[in-house]
Amino acid sequence: MRKIALLFRGIRRIWRNLFYYITLCRVKWVLFLNQVKYGKRLHCNGIPYICVSPFEGSLVLGDDLTLNNGIRFNPIGFPQPCTLYVDAHATLVIGDRVGISQASIICHHNIRIGNDVKIGGGVKIYDTDFHSLNPKDRLDRNLDISNKKKEGVIIGNNVLIGAGAFILKGVTIGDNSIIGAGSVVTKSIPSNQIWGGNPAELIRKI
């Protein structure tokens, strides 16, 4: 029985390594098709959803990026893959040594994420309201889209964003700060602070 168990583990390890490299080749092909610039090292478990507009949309990924896609690679209750969406004339820049699990980053204007950032499962980062806040605009699709508000998001270095948090348009998060799980961040946060809640408020300084 012990020999069978060891044989099974060995076969499973070989299959995992083979699957990993096949997946990485598929991801790099998606990046190529979307004209994404990325660093020398890319770690990708599962296949993310990546869509960059050909109309001056820009996605830049730093070195040593890790993307965990689906519940198999981070089993904390969020089954979806990572989503990196960049609209026309928008720019999304992700720094070095960033780890992202099952998060959605939707960029209609400008999102910049620093180095050594950890983005937990199911996090949503939006730099737009998606729709106009004027009820009359929403009756006309073109007005609804053209009059939606957009404002850049900046996330500093070494920030930790807990699972299920929402980071909304116009927010800047300072270096080393922590966002609690499930928080809704609607205003900027200084460096070296812990925030949580809906809407997020200061819990304490680090």
Side-chain angles (χ1 to χ4, degrees), residues 181-203:
S183 299
V184 179
V185 182
T186 60
K187 57 185 177 181
S188 294
I189 294 172
S191 299
N192 302 302
Q193 293 188 359
I194 301 174
W195 283 55
N198 180 8
E201 297 180 349
L202 175 65
I203 295 174

Side-chain angles (χ1 to χ4, degrees), residues 9 16 50-51 68 79 88 106 115 124 133 138 144 152 163 171 180:
R9 289 176 183 173
R16 282 180 176 175
I50 296 174
C51 181
N68 291 318
I106 311 300
N115 301 325
K124 309 290 188 295
L133 301 184
R138 293 198 299 275
D144 187 24
V171 165

Side-chain angles (χ1 to χ4, degrees), residues 5-25:
L6 290 174
L7 178 62
F8 174 75
R9 289 176 183 173
I11 293 172
R12 185 173 62 180
R13 179 174 294 180
I14 292 171
W15 168 248
R16 282 180 176 175
N17 289 337
L18 180 62
F19 180 77
Y20 174 82
Y21 286 109
I22 292 172
T23 297
L24 191 59
C25 289

Side-chain angles (χ1 to χ4, degrees), residues 144-160:
D144 187 24
I145 293 174
S146 62
N147 291 334
K148 67 186 178 185
K149 290 186 177 179
K150 298 182 287 185
E151 201 172 345
V153 173
I154 299 174
I155 298 173
N157 298 321
N158 199 31
V159 170
L160 172 61

Side-chain angles (χ1 to χ4, degrees), residues 37-181:
K37 299 176 182 178
Y38 58 95
K40 294 180 180 179
R41 291 170 293 180
L42 175 66
H43 312 281
C44 204
N45 299 306
I47 306 295
Y49 175 77
I50 296 174
C51 181
V52 181
S53 171
F55 301 105
E56 298 185 34
S58 175
L59 174 56
V60 179
L61 307 177
D63 191 31
D64 207 11
L65 172 70
T66 299
L67 298 174
N68 291 318
N69 304 279
I71 200 165
R72 176 182 176 188
F73 301 104
N74 192 2
I76 62 172
F78 296 95
Q80 71 272 11
C82 291
T83 298
L84 303 178
Y85 178 89
V86 183
D87 204 3
H89 309 289
T91 301
L92 170 56
V93 178
I94 299 176
D96 299 333
R97 299 174 301 279
V98 173
I100 305 174
S101 291
Q102 298 118 319
S104 297
I105 304 175
I106 311 300
C107 179
H108 285 210
H109 177 52
N110 192 340
I111 297 176
R112 296 185 180 273
I113 298 171
N115 301 325
D116 303 296
V117 175
K118 291 180 173 56
I119 300 176
V123 167
K124 309 290 188 295
I125 301 175
Y126 303 147
D127 67 354
T128 176
D129 287 332
F130 295 100
H131 297 279
S132 171
L133 301 184
N134 186 326
K136 292 182 180 180
D137 289 346
R138 293 198 299 275
L139 298 175
D140 184 302
R141 184 178 183 276
N142 292 327
L143 287 176
D144 187 24
I145 293 174
S146 62
N147 291 334
K148 67 186 178 185
K149 290 186 177 179
K150 298 182 287 185
E151 201 172 345
V153 173
I154 299 174
I155 298 173
N157 298 321
N158 199 31
V159 170
L160 172 61
I161 303 176
F166 282 76
I167 313 298
L168 302 184
K169 72 177 194 308
V171 165
T172 295
I173 301 175
D175 296 347
N176 307 315
S177 286
I178 298 172
I179 310 302

